[in-house]
């Protein structure tokens, strides 16, 4: 199960899925309701569970903001491993950035519309934050599909879980990520979940810049 991050959609996994299939895995990519300002992380988890495949031996991968959904899904289903990928890390006692090193860039170069939608206006801004190591044509392809983010209901209440799920967790970070710093991920994953981070080269979107390497790494985790 593949859970995208902020501004993205199920489309962002298009390059990764064939690489996972090469290893004998099947994959389901889910669209989160991030254009709905009233949606909560529980609603995001419901969107994932609404497409839950039959069978067992299922891994859940959450990229960036999608990492906030991984434990919620793992608490409600039998999950083989929940993978945080270049991820915001939930904090059971506060907000993800509390008691942590800097999480990432303070200014992504986004703009906020009158209805509260946070949007990327320029390819240059999106490329700087997300796609620095992607081919220019791939960055342009991704930019055209970015969605508005309305996150008013995500941060105005405590995180829904009071304890971590019993299922196994793992994490992958990218060394040059400026959207979610690897240093933040190392710290939070070690001190909140007690796991170390596997580190890949590159920036925030390895599913687009290095899909083969990411698939190899996920397969090795399994």
């Amino acid at each position: 199960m593949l859970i995208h991050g902020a501004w993205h959609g199920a489309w962002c996994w298009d390059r990764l899925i064939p690489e996972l299939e090469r290893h004998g895995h099947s994959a389901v990519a889910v669209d989160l309701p991030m254009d709905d300002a009233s949606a909560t992380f529980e609603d995001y988890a419901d969107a994932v569970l609404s497409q839950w495949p039959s069978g067992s031996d299922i891994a859940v991968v959450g990229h960036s903001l999608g990492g906030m959904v991984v434990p919620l899904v793992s608490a409600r289903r039998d999950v083989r491993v929940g993978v945080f990928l270049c991820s915001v890390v939930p904090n059971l006692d506060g907000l993800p950035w509390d008691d942590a090193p800097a999480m990432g860039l303070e200014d992504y170069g986004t703009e906020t519309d009158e209805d509260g939608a946070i949007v990327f206006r320029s390819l240059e801004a999106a490329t700087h934050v997300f796609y620095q190591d992607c081919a220019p044509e791939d960055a342009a392809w991704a930019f055209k599909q970015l969605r508005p983010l309305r996150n008013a209901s995500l941060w105005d209440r405590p995180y829904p879980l009071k304890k971590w799920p019993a299922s196994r967790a793992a994490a992958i970070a990218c060394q040059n990520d400026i959207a979610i710093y690897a240093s933040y991920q190392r710290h939070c994953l070690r001190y909140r979940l007690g796991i170390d981070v596997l580190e890949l080269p590159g920036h925030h979107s390895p599913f687009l810049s290095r899909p083969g390497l990411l698939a190899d790494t996920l397969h090795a985790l399994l």
Side-chain angles (χ1 to χ4, degrees):
M1 295 296 290
L2 302 173
I3 308 172
H4 64 80
W7 295 284
H8 289 68
W11 56 265
C12 75
W13 304 104
D14 284 359
R15 311 290 173 84
L16 178 67
I17 289 174
E19 297 292 339
L20 292 172
E21 291 172 345
R22 178 172 58 85
H23 285 292
H25 305 290
S26 59
V28 177
V30 180
D31 277 316
L32 300 178
M34 60 178 47
D35 53 350
D36 180 357
S38 68
T40 65
F41 285 123
E42 295 101 315
D43 296 319
Y44 285 15
D46 287 343
V48 176
L49 295 173
S50 72
Q51 297 189 47
W52 197 257
S54 60
S56 59
D57 205 24
I58 298 171
V60 178
V61 181
H63 176 251
S64 198
L65 188 66
M68 296 291 291
V69 186
V70 169
L72 299 177
V73 172
S74 299
R76 294 169 62 182
R77 290 292 187 274
D78 184 13
V79 170
R80 178 171 178 177
V81 60
V83 182
F84 298 91
L85 173 63
C86 301
S87 177
V88 180
V89 182
N91 182 358
L92 303 188
D93 299 312
L95 294 169
W97 45 85
D98 291 344
D99 301 318
M103 189 168 73
L105 285 181
E106 291 186 5
D107 182 4
Y108 276 16
T110 56
E111 298 179 17
T112 303
D113 290 341
E114 290 183 359
D115 67 351
I118 307 169
V119 297
F120 278 90
R121 298 287 189 212
S122 73
L123 170 61
E124 291 74 21
T127 298
H128 178 66
V129 176
F130 297 140
Y131 312 123
Q132 284 193 33
D133 56 344
C134 298
E137 58 271 23
D138 288 339
W141 172 81
F143 170 71
K144 289 179 180 178
Q145 300 180 84
L146 292 180
R147 303 156 59 198
L149 171 66
R150 295 176 174 86
N151 63 353
S153 296
L154 296 181
W155 311 114
D156 61 356
R157 66 199 70 199
Y159 192 66
L161 294 182
K162 297 303 180 185
K163 64 178 182 178
W164 296 109
S167 56
R168 177 182 165 222
I172 301 169
C174 288
Q175 295 164 343
N176 302 117
D177 191 346
I178 61 173
I180 309 292
Y181 295 144
S183 55
Y184 161 86
Q185 295 170 72
R186 288 186 212 108
H187 176 92
C188 292
L189 288 157
R190 179 172 296 170
Y191 289 104
R192 293 176 188 171
L193 284 93
I195 60 175
D196 291 324
V197 178
L198 292 171
E199 296 192 25
L200 302 181
H203 292 266
H204 191 61
S205 303
F207 46 79
L208 190 58
S209 61
R210 294 174 174 83
L213 176 60
L214 179 57
D216 293 347
T217 305
L218 289 169
H219 177 69
L221 280 175
L222 291 170

